[in-house]
Amino acid sequence: MDIERIPKPWEGDRVKEVVGAGRLDKQKNFPLLIEAFAKFYKSHSDYVLKIYGDGPLREELIRYAESLLPKDAYCFPGRTTELLEKIKSASMFVLSSDYEGMPNVVIEAMAMGMPVISTDCPSGGSSYLIQNGNNGILTPVGEVDALSEAMCKVAESEKFAIKISREAEKIKNVLDAEVVAEKWREYLDEISKG
């Protein structure tokens, strides 16, 4: 991943959008995101849910959103080569997956200084990146109420949203290629001595 190509953090008021992105398949559990957003929407009807991506569940997900939300409360813009530019001004990025490796989209959203909420997926990619409550929010996999409450926390406290955004941006320092290479050198030196 080229950290240098990631847009600079958004300055000014954020657009009232909750965004998700990824392949529209079972693993990403977008029904969880849609249901959690529907609960969140009851007290935050000025927000819109945008889910970027394409995949086999697209039509099913659109129908599910249609069954829970008014037409103007959600959209599925499809795939885009300009994802980061399109989402950088959003209020928050949400990953609702049942399982993940190291989620690039979470790294990129954090590096842009976005408030990020992620399910605490098995394999621990998100929990490696996010220190819960400090630079993002982790919620248990599959828990609608926890995900909805996390969205409310970000939406209702600008101070908290700004804090986790600023801390999230520091992920660039952790994942910088030179820093990672130096850690590998140290590790290899250590095992070659032992």
Side-chain angles (χ1 to χ4, degrees):
M1 171 180 316
D2 181 7
I3 295 286
E4 296 302 313
R5 74 171 181 77
I6 294 175
K8 297 212 178 313
W10 183 253
E11 294 189 20
D13 293 339
R14 290 192 171 274
V15 180
K16 293 192 173 187
E17 293 175 351
V18 173
V19 296
R23 183 159 168 72
L24 305 183
D25 63 16
K26 191 170 177 356
Q27 170 195 346
K28 303 296 183 184
N29 199 353
F30 286 117
L32 173 68
L33 176 54
I34 293 166
E35 190 176 344
F37 180 82
K39 284 181 170 249
F40 166 82
Y41 186 80
K42 288 176 184 171
S43 55
H44 299 86
S45 60
D46 49 346
Y47 280 76
V48 172
L49 174 63
K50 288 191 173 182
I51 298 177
Y52 290 87
D54 212 347
L57 299 182
R58 180 179 175 81
E59 294 307 314
E60 184 180 318
L61 292 170
I62 290 170
R63 283 192 303 275
Y64 190 53
E66 216 168 67
S67 73
L68 296 177
L69 292 160
K71 195 82 175 145
D72 60 351
Y74 65 91
C75 69
F76 289 80
R79 291 185 60 182
T80 175
T81 56
E82 299 171 355
L83 178 66
L84 301 183
E85 282 299 326
K86 290 184 182 291
I87 71 171
K88 70 181 182 182
S89 63
S91 294
M92 64 192 89
F93 179 86
V94 181
L95 182 88
S96 54
S97 297
D98 288 337
Y99 57 94
E100 279 289 344
M102 185 61 71
N104 280 343
V105 71
V106 167
I107 295 168
E108 292 166 339
M110 290 176 74
M112 289 192 305
M114 287 184 76
V116 173
I117 300 167
S118 175
T119 48
D120 192 1
C121 311
S123 82
S126 290
S127 64
Y128 172 78
L129 302 166
I130 296 174
Q131 296 136 20
N132 195 24
N134 180 48
N135 65 350
I137 300 176
L138 291 170
T139 64
V141 172
E143 291 198 15
V144 172
D145 290 341
L147 195 56
S148 181
E149 286 164 16
M151 290 181 206
C152 290
K153 186 170 184 177
V154 171
E156 293 167 8
S157 174
E158 185 179 1
K159 185 177 178 182
F160 176 72
I162 289 169
K163 175 195 159 251
I164 64 172
S165 296
R166 289 190 177 143
E167 289 299 316
E169 193 186 341
K170 294 177 183 176
I171 200 73
K172 289 187 279 195
N173 303 330
V174 174
L175 298 175
D176 179 87
E178 289 179 30
V179 171
V180 172
E182 182 56 33
K183 287 185 187 261
W184 271 108
R185 275 194 290 280
E186 290 170 9
Y187 171 72
L188 293 172
D189 285 347
E190 191 176 304
I191 62 169
S192 68
K193 291 174 189 169

